[in-house]
Amino acid sequence: MQVTSAEFTKGIVGTDIILTDGVPEIAFVGRSNVGKSSLINSLVNRNNLVKVGKKPGKTTEINFFTINRGKFYFVDLPGYGYAEASPKQKESIEKLILWYLMYSNASLRKVVLILDVKAGLTAFDEEMVRVLREKGHPYIIVANKVDKLNQKELSAQLRAIKEAAHEATVVPYSAVTTKGARELLQKIFDEA
Ligand SMILES: Nc1nc2c(ncn2[C@@H]2O[C@H](COP(=O)(O)OP(=O)(O)OP(=O)(O)O)[C@@H](O)[C@H]2O)c(=O)[nH]1
Ligand SMILES: [Mg+2]
């Protein structure tokens, strides 16, 4: 499937009518600064659909983007684990993400859990995997920023990530070079 159009639709912080319109959602979650927004831009071939590199930890809403004139939503979640956020801010972001994944009744077609390939899984990433498995949401792990590692480092990191994530599908990716974009789109849309 090709992404032929993408527009920002709305940001939500709780129950909203957009969650019940039946349009399948593809959600992008991950720690702050792993490249969620950059990755969405690279998948839709746009430089600035989603704002990148602004001060991390500022996005506190769940942002919906309409893909291919209403066939799907791409959903950009706020990043967790931003070191300089206050404990209260951290907690409210984690609560919002957990609510969305566990209780919002979102029509989740796929959850894309994004990691920094160098960092691997943090404690909250492991919590994410646990929740996704428990709720039975189909998910894919993306190991982003592979452009930062050489081949040897890369294969060791990918192996470690796969092991820590219960042998989940792990797609090596770079939002900078767009390496992995084709494979990721195929996996998101369940194509052979
Ligand atoms: N080298 C490299 N840098 C990347 C890649 N993807 C993103 N970055 C950089 O990482 C930084 C964070 O990227 P964002 O896309 O804003 O990350 P985010 O996960 O959306 O961050 P929050 O919105 O704060 O949660 C930016 O400086 C990007 O340019 C990548 O694949 N390779
Ligand atoms: Mg972002």
Side-chain angles (χ1 to χ4, degrees):
M1 169 121 21
Q2 292 276 73
V3 175
T4 52
S5 73
E7 298 107 36
F8 175 73
T9 300
K10 71 154 81 166
I12 69 167
V13 290
T15 304
D16 190 282
I17 191 141
I18 199 165
L19 293 162
T20 58
D21 65 8
V23 177
E25 293 164 39
I26 292 140
F28 298 82
V29 299
R31 192 167 54 79
S32 185
N33 215 41
V34 292
K36 293 176 295 302
S37 304
S38 306
L39 183 143
I40 294 176
N41 285 332
S42 70
L43 285 181
V44 303
N45 290 312
R46 293 262 288 273
N47 289 326
N48 53 4
L49 178 70
V50 193
K51 289 191 190 70
V52 168
K54 50 171 177 51
K55 213 166 181 288
K58 285 281 180 203
T59 308
T60 50
E61 300 194 334
I62 299 175
N63 289 315
F64 283 69
F65 298 86
T66 298
I67 302 299
N68 294 0
R69 315 233 162 272
K71 261 190 139 5
F72 300 97
Y73 293 125
F74 277 4
V75 182
D76 189 18
L77 282 109
Y80 45 82
Y82 176 50
E84 284 167 38
S86 72
K88 214 174 157 180
Q89 285 170 317
K90 281 186 189 163
E91 191 189 314
S92 79
I93 283 181
E94 290 176 4
K95 272 193 174 150
L96 183 65
I97 295 167
L98 288 170
W99 164 78
Y100 173 77
L101 295 176
M102 297 177 79
Y103 308 113
S104 70
N105 289 322
S107 325
L108 279 169
R109 163 83 176 260
K110 200 78 92 187
V111 178
V112 182
L113 174 61
I114 303 165
L115 312 175
D116 179 329
V117 68
K118 271 170 95 169
L121 278 88
T122 65
F124 201 71
D125 292 322
E126 283 175 9
E127 171 76 357
M128 286 290 95
V129 171
R130 199 186 60 70
V131 166
L132 295 170
R133 285 162 61 85
E134 186 182 301
K135 298 301 282 183
H137 294 316
Y139 68 98
I140 307 167
I141 292 182
V142 171
N144 190 35
K145 308 197 185 184
V146 296
D147 55 282
K148 288 183 158 184
L149 296 182
N150 66 36
Q151 200 54 48
K152 195 172 162 215
E153 296 165 327
L154 181 59
S155 37
Q157 275 306 89
L158 290 174
R159 188 62 242 155
I161 289 169
K162 209 172 160 64
E163 247 177 64
H166 303 263
E167 301 297 316
T169 302
V170 179
V171 179
Y173 200 91
S174 169
V176 168
T177 67
T178 74
K179 183 189 161 10
R182 225 182 114 95
E183 184 189 354
L184 182 55
L185 283 171
Q186 284 173 345
K187 295 232 154 62
I188 285 174
F189 296 115
D190 294 314
E191 293 161 347

